[in-house]
């Protein structure tokens, strides 16, 4: 702001970084109000700065935030090939650049707006930029609303608008707080409008949340007990010996037995649990012969595996192409269904697998299990497609050992909260390196495992069939509305620049 001394400016930016980090989904401490306050301070500091000064200060804040949230401890990443390293180098700069662009353009594009409605325009610009990344299936979650994952009242609107509605609300609060301070200090008109819009939106969001929580928190009679295994094994290539793998399988079987002892009817192993093919291999009877006595008579088992794509299964082994797959077995050891991952992460997965073309179809067992693998759960579309095709419960199996000792497994897992609310389905997140979640259709986290700890997490899910508004209309209409607001802001910005140059 004009007249702000350098020492005050730096102090406020440091406070902004601290609040942003506290609000981020990290594995140490989370304070969701940080997500509602941290950007407001950044907006306030750079509000009237020239364009390139906005860029410099914003980049500094977001670079440190992204360093905290996304950078792994490189000593804990066991195996990375040349292609993965190149991919990481290409992706890493995008992280602070997106937040930089969202911050600066939210202010720049709305310069011509009256103070009273400027927060609405700023939230529109920010959310539209994020929404277009979601539309092209960009797998890094920039949704600012995700930081509110443990504020149940504030996130229930996701069944109407998807996670973007929550992002819009969170940015609106930040922009409104900054606008109120600027308006008060400079004696600008429109403070009452800002206050009125902020209060109205907050009341509407919290009121809707209260009604939805009352509805979805009611007890259900059709509960299914599930046990999710987190074996805590890093991705490795050095030791592929049977001795090593057998010890891992014994760990998985022991944890599965503990889960069944706690009443689990469905046991779920994560992506990468086997590090091998399973169907029609000697490994299949080895595991099933030990699992069948463990599972209840009506029980079942889901595991990740690397399976030949059905289109190439008749070819010799060197010619086969693999799917990153999930397999569903019943208590008698019969393979009931399979799912092949369709969205593959460039560089990291495309060198190992090919995408399945079977579509997002649920696996049919005791319920219609809508399974996704790894980063498919970061994207809203796969969950929507599974539910529209009949999924009654959503599941994501993942192996986040690629990201080492970082905050990523936490960030990845909490997106399950939004997939649950968007579709009003129980969501089960099962991760190799821990942090397993069982999320109710209300978005409340029912059970949660510790990150980087071997364990089995047991909880109850409910099979549901209703379709939400977001599931019906999807991202398209929301993004169209946001894009219209973005286009209007761009035209206002263009006319402002022309008037200044004239």
């Amino acid at each position: 702001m004009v007249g702000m001394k350098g020492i005050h400016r730096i102090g406020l930016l440091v406070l902004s970084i601290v609040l942003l980090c506290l609000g981020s989904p990290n594995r140490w401490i989370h304070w969701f109000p940080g997500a509602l306050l941290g950007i407001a301070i950044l907006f306030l500091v750079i509000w009237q700065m020239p364009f390139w000064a906005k860029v410099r200060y914003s980049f500094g804040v977001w670079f440190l935030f992204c360093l905290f949230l996304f950078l792994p401890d490189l000593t804990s990443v066991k195996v990375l090939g040349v292609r993965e390293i190149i991919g990481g180098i290409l992706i890493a700069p995008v992280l602070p650049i997106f937040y930089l662009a969202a911050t600066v353009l939210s202010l720049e594009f709305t310069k011509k707006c009256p103070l009273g409605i400027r927060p609405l325009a700023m939230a529109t610009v920010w959310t539209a930029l994020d929404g277009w990344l979601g539309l092209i299936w960009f797998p890094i979650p920039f949704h600012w609303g995700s930081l509110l994952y443990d504020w149940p009242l504030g996130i229930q609107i996701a069944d109407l608008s998807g996670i973007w509605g929550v992002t819009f609300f969170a940015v609106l609060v930040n922009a409104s707080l900054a606008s109120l301070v600027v308006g008060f200090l400079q004696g600008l008109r429109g403070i009452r409008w800002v206050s009125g819009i902020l209060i109205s939106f907050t009341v509407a969001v919290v009121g809707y949340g209260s009604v939805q929580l009352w509805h979805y928190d009611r007890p259900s009679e059709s509960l299914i007990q599930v046990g999710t295994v987190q074996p805590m094994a890093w991705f490795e290539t050095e030791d592929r010996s049977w001795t090593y793998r057998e010890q891992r399988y014994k760990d998985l079987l022991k944890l599965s037995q503990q889960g069944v002892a706690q009443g689990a009817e469905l046991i779920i192993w994560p992506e990468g649990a086997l590090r091998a093919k399973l169907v029609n291999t000697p490994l299949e009877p080895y595991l099933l012969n030990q699992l069948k006595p463990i599972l209840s008579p009506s029980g079942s088992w889901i595991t990740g595996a690397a399976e030949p794509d059905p289109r190439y299964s008749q070819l010799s082994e060197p010619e086969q192409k693999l799917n990153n797959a999930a397999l569903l077995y019943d208590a008698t050891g019969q393979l009931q269904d399979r799912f092949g991952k369709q969205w593959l992460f460039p560089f990291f997965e495309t060198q190992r697998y090919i995408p399945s073309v079977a579509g997002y179809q649920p696996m049919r067992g005791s319920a219609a299990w809508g399974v996704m693998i790894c980063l498919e759960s970061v994207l809203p579309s796969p969950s929507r497609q599974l539910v529209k095709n009949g999924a009654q419960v959503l599941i994501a199996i993942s192996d986040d050992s690629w990201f080492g000792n970082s905050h990523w497994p936490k960030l990845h897992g909490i997106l399950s909260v939004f997939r649950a609310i968007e579709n009003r389905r129980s969501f089960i997140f099962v991760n190799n390196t821990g942090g397993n979640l069982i999320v109710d259709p209300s978005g409340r986290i029912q059970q949660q495992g510790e990150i980087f700890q071997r364990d089995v997490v047991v909880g109850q899910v409910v099979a549901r069939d209703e379709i939400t508004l977001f599931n019906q209309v999807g991202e398209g209409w929301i993004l169209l509305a946001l894009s219209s607001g973005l286009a209007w802001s761009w035209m206002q910005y263009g006319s402002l620049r022309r008037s200044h140059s004239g």
Side-chain angles (χ1 to χ4, degrees):
M1 290 182 62
V2 175
M4 185 180 294
K5 295 181 179 179
I7 187 68
H8 296 156
R9 183 185 299 122
I10 297 301
L12 285 174
L13 291 175
V14 169
L15 178 59
S16 174
I17 294 168
V18 170
L19 288 173
L20 296 178
C21 290
L22 282 174
S24 68
N26 64 81
R27 65 191 190 279
W28 296 326
I29 185 171
H30 179 254
W31 188 62
F32 77 79
L36 300 172
L37 302 172
I39 307 177
I41 296 174
L42 177 59
F43 280 150
L44 184 63
V45 171
I46 66 172
W47 191 275
Q48 290 183 322
M49 286 183 178
F51 177 81
W52 289 111
K54 285 188 176 77
V55 170
R56 288 195 303 273
Y57 283 102
S58 296
F59 182 81
V61 168
W62 291 118
F63 176 80
L64 292 173
F65 170 80
C66 290
L67 198 68
F68 170 77
L69 187 57
F70 293 105
L71 185 69
D73 171 7
L74 296 179
T75 63
S76 69
V77 181
K78 302 300 181 182
V79 178
L80 285 180
V82 174
R83 295 177 103 179
E84 285 95 9
I85 293 172
I86 293 173
I89 292 172
L90 293 174
I91 292 169
V94 174
L95 304 177
I97 287 174
F98 169 81
Y99 288 118
L100 161 69
T103 303
V104 173
L105 296 182
S106 295
L107 285 169
E108 287 290 306
F109 282 8
T110 61
K111 279 183 175 179
K112 205 172 181 180
C113 292
L115 181 70
I117 63 169
R118 193 173 182 184
L120 285 170
M122 291 168 66
T124 299
V125 172
W126 184 297
T127 312
L129 294 173
D130 176 27
W132 279 108
L133 288 180
L135 194 64
I136 63 172
W137 288 42
F138 191 80
I140 308 298
F142 290 128
H143 327 296
W144 196 251
S146 67
L147 280 65
L148 304 182
Y149 72 94
D150 56 358
W151 186 30
L153 283 174
I155 60 178
Q156 298 302 310
I157 57 171
D159 66 358
L160 302 175
S161 62
I163 195 169
W164 292 292
V166 184
T167 292
F168 184 92
F169 174 67
V171 177
L172 173 67
V173 172
N174 279 281
S176 296
L177 294 175
S179 297
L180 287 171
V181 174
V182 170
F184 176 77
L185 293 177
Q186 299 185 0
L188 300 177
R189 300 172 66 181
I191 291 180
R192 289 183 179 179
W193 274 98
V194 174
S195 302
I197 291 172
L198 175 60
I199 293 171
S200 298
F201 263 83
T202 302
V203 169
V205 167
V206 172
Y208 182 78
S210 300
V211 172
Q212 293 299 82
L213 286 175
W214 171 82
H215 176 72
Y216 286 101
D217 279 345
R218 291 181 298 176
S220 173
E221 296 180 359
S222 56
L223 296 173
I224 304 169
Q225 194 91 342
V226 298
T228 68
V229 174
Q230 45 183 65
M232 191 49 225
W234 298 110
F235 186 84
E236 71 291 313
T237 58
E238 293 92 342
D239 193 347
R240 294 280 179 166
S241 67
W242 174 249
T243 302
Y244 173 77
R245 288 170 56 200
E246 185 180 32
Q247 183 56 54
R248 287 200 55 202
Y249 300 151
K250 286 180 178 178
D251 291 340
L252 288 160
L253 290 163
K254 182 178 179 181
L255 292 169
S256 300
Q257 189 171 24
Q258 293 174 12
V260 173
Q262 296 178 51
E265 302 169 55
L266 171 66
I267 294 294
I268 309 175
W269 291 5
E271 176 196 21
L274 305 180
R275 308 279 196 235
K277 301 177 190 176
L278 180 62
V279 179
N280 298 325
T281 70
L283 181 60
E284 188 176 37
Y286 169 81
L287 290 175
L288 288 173
N289 287 338
Q290 298 178 77
L291 271 168
K292 284 190 288 186
I294 293 175
L295 297 174
S296 66
S298 60
S300 52
W301 169 52
I302 291 176
T303 183
E307 294 298 316
D309 187 286
R311 294 167 291 176
Y312 301 90
S313 60
Q314 303 306 315
L315 301 178
S316 63
E317 187 163 339
E319 297 175 297
Q320 290 179 352
K321 307 292 185 182
L322 298 179
N323 290 151
N324 190 353
L327 306 171
L328 171 64
Y329 287 85
D330 65 17
T332 67
Q334 295 298 309
L335 179 63
Q336 288 188 295
D337 214 338
R338 63 177 284 164
F339 168 80
K341 189 178 184 186
Q342 290 148 70
W343 188 91
L344 300 180
F345 197 95
F347 299 106
F348 293 87
E349 286 186 295
T350 51
Q351 60 180 315
R352 294 176 174 82
Y353 303 110
I354 64 171
S356 168
V357 294
Y360 285 104
Q361 297 294 331
M363 298 199 296
R364 305 285 174 170
S366 56
W369 307 107
V371 177
M372 293 160 283
I373 299 177
C374 198
L375 295 181
E376 287 181 312
S377 67
V378 170
L379 309 161
S381 290
S383 297
R384 282 187 55 243
Q385 292 179 37
L386 283 164
V387 169
K388 292 185 81 169
N389 289 330
Q392 297 172 302
V393 177
L394 293 170
I395 301 171
I397 60 173
S398 185
D399 179 7
D400 286 345
S401 62
W402 287 99
F403 301 96
N405 185 18
S406 71
H407 299 302
W408 174 263
K410 180 79 171 180
L411 173 61
H412 186 186
I414 62 91
L415 290 168
S416 306
V417 171
F418 295 91
R419 303 295 89 86
I421 297 174
E422 287 164 356
N423 300 282
R424 292 304 178 184
R425 293 293 187 272
S426 294
F427 199 110
I428 308 166
F429 179 75
V430 189
N431 187 19
N432 175 27
T433 49
N436 288 5
L437 295 173
I438 299 175
V439 184
D440 295 335
S442 64
R444 294 192 192 275
I445 297 174
Q446 179 198 129
Q447 298 292 337
Q448 183 170 8
E450 292 293 329
I451 297 283
F452 310 127
Q453 180 174 306
R454 184 177 286 113
D455 200 1
V456 58
V457 178
V458 177
Q460 295 178 322
V461 299
V462 57
R464 304 186 72 97
D465 295 299
E466 77 265 32
I467 300 295
T468 65
L469 178 64
F470 175 73
N471 197 274
Q472 288 178 324
V473 302
E475 304 96 313
W477 293 106
I478 297 165
L479 294 182
L480 178 63
L482 290 170
S483 298
S484 300
L486 179 61
W488 176 81
S489 300
W490 170 253
M491 288 187 291
Q492 298 297 311
Y493 179 63
S495 66
L496 181 65
R497 288 182 60 87
R498 287 192 296 272
S499 65
H500 283 179
S501 61

